[in-house]
Amino acid sequence: MTAEYQVHGDVAVIAMNNPPVNGLGYETRVGITQGLEKANADPAVKAIVLTGAGKAFSGGADIREFNSPKAMQEPILLSVITAVENSQKPVVAAVHTVAMGGGLELALGAHYRIAAPGAKVALPEVKLGLIPGAGGTVRLPRVLGVETALNMIVKGDPVNSELLAGLPGQKLFDKLAASPESLLDEALAFANEVAAKHAEGSALPLVRHLPCKHPNGDAYFQFARNMIAGMAKNFPAPLKCVDAVENATKYKFDDALAREREIFINLMQTPECKALRHIFAAERAASKIPDVGSEVKPREIKTVAVIGAGTMGGGIAMNFLNAGIPVTILETKQEAINRGVEVMSKNYESQVKRGKLKQDKYEQRMSLLKTTLNYEDIKDADLVIEAVFEEMGVKEAVFKKLDEVMKPGAILASNTSTLDVDQIAAFTKRPQDVVGMHFFSPANVMKLLEVVRGAKTAKDVLATVMAIAKKIRKTAVVSGVCDGFIGNRMIEQYSRQAGFLLEEGATPQQVDKAVERFGFAMGPFRMGDLAGNDIGWAIRKRRYVEKPDMKYSKTADLLCELGRFGQKTGAGWYDYKPGKRDAIPSKLVEDMVAKHRQDQGITPRKIGDQEIVERLVYSLVNEGARILEDGIASKASDIDMVYLTGYGFPIWRGGPMKYADQVGLFNVAESMKRFARNPNDDAQFWQPAPLLAKLVAEGKTFN
């Protein structure tokens, strides 16, 4: 049973025990209700303490039960809370560490609540595209007041128990314990106290009986809706939170509860909720590598070296400094070191100015940084990350030197974005210690880390890199070795389609606006200008030699021949004014594209936004399916995490593979067949990948 029952004197203690966060799974729910029955039937028991064993009171729903029959098997959480409310003996919830979602809703059903200081309290359902579904929107306003409760429910962020306990007039916590260690003893004493108070049979207090009103309800809820509508336009749940809390002020308790449940169930079916729940599970799944279990122990990483003090090297170093890990940056020239350190300092100073970082923290981080021009000074580092120019000859020189100087067991990582990690590993006599760690620019900001597993990369190296990624707050996704890995291999197809659309009649701004309306942070042409169009040009030149049959639009090459590399040169697909990033449509680019169409004998046609979005997004999907087939990614959700955290794919759509599932893979494949008939596109590319065709035939999905 995942709820333990013990009697301490006159008090029964029911402790949820379902690690890691005492999720309210079916067995736990049964354990609580059975414990309540037992305590109520025992004449020696005068009161009940409900708490959580280990490191949480309860984190809410058990994610392992999501989408399984057990999630809805009685007793569901609503029934458990009813059983708590109906207990004839007082129930004291002893809250510590974490009380979130259903865990907080359960505590709100108790007659009394005592909290340990430092407990994180939240109703985070909105982050999964839902509202609380077991009374949270109806009970929390009764104990904290309407405005405080609505703020908590709409944001979904955790708040410290002592902060809530200090609010004037709050009725969430009856007592705050002196410390987490004394919580149980204080809860037992408090339970004895309330048992004595109700010994004569006086009614036990229930949150449902507290009033719930706002003095200017209509005006306040309208104001809340106006505020939230602007911030949450692609997410239905935040506005539904307002509806549910307003219902709590206007209807009888049980009617408001029924309406909350109805909203909750309707939201469960929305594509946005399905996407957000998918992301929640995908993020956790990304850290699990099929053949690297918990028995594989990570190596210890106490110090890190970074080769290269450029934009990437400096950004990579900042991640480790932020986590309190000492870093040594190695460069070939002192001027390069000075430039790099200055950029890092300015980054930190800007955070201090904006109030995002305290001055002493900034000083502490910079004190962990050392610089050197000598490989001897990094020989004892546990992890070294190379962030030098993206050219195999340069990488070869660095890795041969690292192989010579680094201590045995040091992990040698390359920040390459496209090059062959197996070839890089072969420059050393220790290929088992070599791994790809592909950070995304700006490396100190972007969440994604592609971890590239070479043919000989040791399992403990992978385990170490995944653990260190968590420490530096990155979402790490494992990729196999291929040109471009997961993200850049797919983005190449996306960029090719953008080029074809241009040739066929679209303008850069039309393509960008269409995908930005779909939800991308930035369209392909604005993205090219930001990253530097010369980067794509270098890759295409390599492709023309390696894959002469691969078809590209020549427009991007013509642009680069004009020296229009993007924001860094003040001109790319768009024009830019000095010191500004606003993309201004360019007459010169328009004329260049028109002349190119003429030279190619292409008659421009009007292209709709839907076609633009489908060709760009489905190109990602088709290449993603091939990546899965090739074993480069182990699961479709990993591809989604790459695109959500590294490429600005809209969160509410769940990633390209999840989006394809929601559109229906049959419909996606039919569109691909239509695109293959377009004489100006690449018919061969649009043949649905064998995995996609197989899933369509079997009526299955990627996820």
Side-chain angles (χ1 to χ4, degrees):
M1 197 55 70
T2 52
E4 294 165 354
Y5 182 91
Q6 286 182 332
V7 177
H8 297 250
D10 293 342
V11 181
V13 176
I14 301 168
M16 296 171 272
N17 191 4
N18 181 18
V21 292
N22 296 323
L24 293 162
Y26 172 70
E27 279 82 10
T28 309
R29 302 194 300 270
V30 168
I32 296 167
T33 50
Q34 288 182 351
L36 288 166
E37 276 176 40
K38 198 170 177 179
N40 276 288
D42 184 347
V45 169
K46 302 287 185 281
I48 301 157
V49 167
L50 176 60
T51 193
K55 295 182 178 177
F57 173 76
S58 170
D62 191 332
I63 61 167
R64 291 166 292 202
E65 280 188 9
F66 272 17
N67 304 322
S68 79
K70 276 190 170 180
M72 298 309 290
Q73 200 169 331
E74 288 286 5
I76 60 169
L77 183 55
L78 281 165
S79 310
V80 176
I81 293 169
T82 302
V84 171
E85 283 190 323
N86 290 341
S87 169
Q88 287 143 19
K89 295 171 183 178
V91 178
V92 175
V95 171
H96 66 90
T97 325
V98 169
M100 295 195 187
L104 177 56
E105 290 175 305
L106 176 63
L108 285 166
H111 305 113
Y112 296 94
R113 284 159 296 283
I114 178 171
K120 303 276 185 217
V121 178
L123 289 173
E125 287 84 354
V126 72
K127 296 185 179 199
L128 295 179
L130 292 166
I131 67 165
T137 66
V138 194
R139 287 190 177 90
L140 198 64
R142 286 174 154 78
V143 294
L144 287 181
V146 168
E147 294 191 19
T148 305
L150 183 59
N151 275 333
M152 272 184 73
I153 292 165
V154 166
K155 285 182 181 164
D157 295 333
V159 183
N160 272 12
S161 52
E162 56 268 46
L163 185 68
L164 293 170
L167 294 175
Q170 70 81 30
K171 297 181 182 69
L172 174 56
F173 296 122
D174 301 279
K175 286 190 83 157
L176 193 64
S179 71
E181 294 72 29
S182 65
L183 175 69
L184 186 59
D185 289 340
E186 292 189 55
L188 291 169
F190 184 45
N192 277 312
E193 199 183 297
V194 298
K197 183 175 160 187
H198 295 286
E200 302 303 314
S202 60
L204 293 166
L206 291 174
V207 170
R208 62 163 56 232
H209 294 150
L210 294 171
C212 185
K213 285 280 169 255
H214 191 286
N216 307 304
D218 291 348
Y220 168 70
F221 287 114
Q222 192 49 55
F223 165 76
R225 281 191 183 91
N226 295 344
M227 290 291 289
I228 289 161
M231 295 184 291
K233 60 178 182 210
N234 298 304
F235 299 94
L239 281 171
K240 293 294 181 187
C241 292
V242 182
D243 292 350
V245 173
E246 185 175 28
N247 290 341
T249 67
K250 293 196 163 173
Y251 295 96
K252 286 181 179 164
F253 184 90
D254 285 322
D255 291 344
L257 196 64
R259 285 165 189 265
E260 176 194 78
R261 192 72 188 157
E262 191 182 328
I263 294 170
F264 176 85
I265 287 164
N266 288 340
L267 281 171
M268 285 279 273
Q269 303 312 314
T270 63
E272 294 84 0
C273 174
K274 288 175 180 173
L276 291 172
R277 278 161 40 218
H278 166 70
I279 294 168
F280 182 77
E283 195 165 2
R284 281 146 187 79
S287 63
K288 293 176 176 62
I289 307 168
D291 62 334
V292 181
S294 55
E295 74 286 351
V296 179
K297 295 295 167 245
R299 301 181 189 181
E300 200 171 14
I301 303 293
K302 287 184 176 171
T303 57
V304 172
V306 176
I307 315 288
T311 309
M312 282 310 288
I316 290 167
M318 285 176 75
N319 290 302
F320 294 96
L321 298 175
N322 297 350
I325 299 167
V327 176
T328 304
I329 293 186
L330 181 142
E331 255 295 355
T332 51
K333 293 193 173 72
Q334 189 60 43
E335 307 87 84
I337 285 180
N338 296 346
R339 265 198 314 275
V341 172
E342 190 187 345
V343 170
M344 290 165 71
S345 295
K346 280 187 175 158
N347 262 325
Y348 280 135
E349 280 160 16
S350 125
Q351 288 178 35
V352 171
K353 269 185 199 147
R354 297 200 316 271
K356 301 267 183 199
L357 186 68
K358 289 196 164 68
Q359 181 69 29
D360 62 335
K361 279 263 190 241
Y362 158 45
E363 287 162 12
Q364 185 192 334
R365 287 174 187 184
M366 288 307 283
S367 73
L368 293 170
L369 179 67
K370 286 188 185 134
T371 60
T372 184
L373 300 170
N374 188 349
Y375 272 90
E376 274 300 305
D377 293 338
I378 65 163
K379 67 179 194 303
D380 291 322
D382 301 307
L383 164 67
V384 56
I385 302 169
E386 157 280 305
V388 300
F389 188 67
E390 187 75 342
E391 202 272 311
M392 196 55 98
V394 183
K395 308 278 190 198
E396 180 175 3
V398 169
F399 273 84
K400 282 185 170 168
K401 188 70 183 166
L402 290 175
D403 191 33
E404 201 182 296
V405 301
M406 298 307 292
K407 69 177 183 185
I411 294 174
L412 316 183
S414 172
N415 177 53
T416 178
S417 55
T418 52
L419 299 178
D420 185 336
V421 171
D422 289 330
Q423 196 181 336
I424 292 170
F427 299 140
T428 75
K429 295 182 191 71
R430 41 170 127 182
Q432 73 282 0
D433 294 334
V434 178
V435 67
M437 286 179 77
H438 177 210
F439 288 82
F440 284 69
S441 187
N444 54 309
V445 176
M446 296 295 280
K447 285 271 291 175
L448 178 62
L449 175 65
E450 265 184 327
V451 175
V452 187
R453 180 181 194 169
K456 294 183 177 170
T457 305
K459 288 184 180 182
D460 65 338
V461 167
L462 279 175
T464 308
V465 173
M466 297 307 275
I468 203 82
K470 200 170 273 186
K471 201 165 187 180
I472 62 172
R473 300 185 164 185
K474 296 291 179 198
T475 300
V477 177
V478 176
S479 168
V481 175
C482 68
D483 200 330
F485 316 130
I486 296 170
N488 284 340
R489 175 171 158 180
M490 287 165 67
I491 210 75
E492 185 171 14
Q493 300 300 343
Y494 173 90
S495 302
R496 284 204 315 138
Q497 283 302 314
F500 297 148
L501 285 161
L502 212 57
E503 285 188 336
E504 291 168 37
T507 63
Q509 54 271 27
Q510 186 199 352
V511 173
D512 283 348
K513 280 184 176 153
V515 283
E516 284 161 18
R517 273 195 289 270
F518 174 79
F520 270 89
M522 204 177 271
F525 296 106
R526 280 178 60 210
M527 184 176 73
D529 278 0
L530 179 66
N533 295 310
D534 50 331
I535 294 170
W537 196 23
I539 292 169
R540 285 192 303 280
K541 284 174 182 169
R542 188 154 59 87
R543 287 282 182 272
Y544 298 150
V545 177
E546 294 167 358
K547 298 183 179 176
D549 298 339
M550 201 159 172
K551 184 181 171 187
Y552 286 92
S553 159
K554 282 282 183 282
T555 49
D557 292 356
L558 294 170
L559 185 82
C560 290
E561 282 163 18
L562 294 172
R564 295 179 68 99
F565 296 156
Q567 289 186 17
K568 61 186 170 189
T569 56
W573 292 106
Y574 298 91
D575 293 329
Y576 298 90
K577 286 183 178 162
K580 292 196 170 171
R581 295 196 163 200
D582 302 338
I584 303 158
S586 167
K587 176 79 171 70
L588 190 149
V589 170
E590 210 176 293
D591 293 346
M592 178 199 84
V593 173
K595 183 181 182 310
H596 172 69
R597 286 181 193 135
Q598 210 174 347
D599 294 347
Q600 296 295 307
I602 298 170
T603 307
R605 64 184 174 90
K606 192 168 168 40
I607 300 175
D609 283 4
Q610 186 178 344
E611 183 186 341
I612 291 170
V613 168
E614 286 185 354
R615 280 172 67 177
L616 290 174
V617 175
Y618 296 172
S619 69
L620 296 175
V621 173
N622 209 24
E623 194 61 27
R626 292 191 175 114
I627 282 171
L628 285 170
E629 248 162 54
D630 295 347
I632 300 300
S634 69
K635 45 197 175 297
S637 62
D638 282 355
I639 295 174
D640 288 333
M641 288 318 298
V642 166
Y643 266 78
L644 291 161
T645 55
Y647 291 85
F649 198 93
I651 284 170
W652 65 93
R653 298 192 191 275
M657 312 313 274
K658 180 65 179 175
Y659 176 70
D661 286 346
Q662 299 225 46
V663 168
L665 297 190
F666 173 82
N667 298 324
V668 171
E670 288 301 301
S671 296
M672 287 179 184
K673 290 172 192 169
R674 195 171 69 249
F675 302 148
R677 293 194 289 271
N678 174 353
N680 296 310
D681 203 330
D682 180 351
Q684 197 183 341
F685 170 74
W686 282 122
Q687 300 311 310
L691 173 65
L692 174 56
K694 179 175 179 280
L695 292 173
V696 170
E698 293 170 0
K700 291 181 179 169
T701 56
F702 285 119
N703 290 287

